[in-house]
Amino acid sequence: MSFKEAMLERFYAICNCCSCCCGAMQAQRNGIEMLCSSGFIAQINTEECVGCGMCEKHCQFHAIQIIEKKAVVDTAKCMGCGVCQGQCAKQAISLARADGKPEPLEIEKLLEQASSSSQHA
């Protein structure tokens, strides 16, 4: 899942494209910032990680490498999409809020704000 940022610091699109055919993802990997982070980052539980490489294989941003039989996340490349988390049979990957990244899109929070606003109108 990738996130794009629009004017006024609002998110306008959430996609689940694959990197083989998405021009924005290809541009991002080549250093042209087209996407905005989800606001999260992948974290590896090294106690649980067995270094199988499934996360590395499926990371569309090439942000994970297996080094000394453990997954290592390049935080500069990680977009917090969660694809790696879904591929880990050992559940050794979690997503955590990333300092310095944009605020995450939290649908429940937005719905609550909209409901509250409509009740006051």
Side-chain angles (χ1 to χ4, degrees), residues 2-68:
S2 304
F3 299 79
K4 294 181 183 180
E5 196 169 45
M7 298 182 335
L8 305 174
E9 298 181 21
R10 301 198 78 166
F11 291 98
Y12 69 91
I14 301 174
C15 70
N16 58 357
C17 300
C18 63
S19 60
C20 67
C21 55
C22 176
M25 291 177 89
Q26 291 171 8
Q28 185 80 22
R29 281 197 320 270
N30 289 311
I32 301 167
E33 292 192 26
M34 299 273 304
L35 305 171
C36 181
S37 167
S38 70
F40 294 93
I41 197 149
Q43 290 187 331
I44 310 298
N45 178 336
T46 56
E47 304 257 332
E48 297 295 324
C49 179
V50 296
C52 70
M54 291 301 289
C55 55
E56 178 182 33
K57 177 181 175 183
H58 287 90
C59 179
Q60 298 188 87
F61 297 98
H62 305 289
I64 301 179
Q65 287 186 306
I66 303 300
I67 300 174
E68 296 179 11

Side-chain angles (χ1 to χ4, degrees), residues 45 47-52 84-93:
N45 178 336
E47 304 257 332
E48 297 295 324
C49 179
V50 296
C52 70
C84 57
Q85 183 181 27
Q87 295 299 318
C88 184
K90 297 294 183 179
Q91 299 179 343
I93 303 175

Side-chain angles (χ1 to χ4, degrees), residues 75-89:
T75 58
K77 291 180 179 179
C78 180
M79 298 297 283
C81 67
V83 170
C84 57
Q85 183 181 27
Q87 295 299 318
C88 184

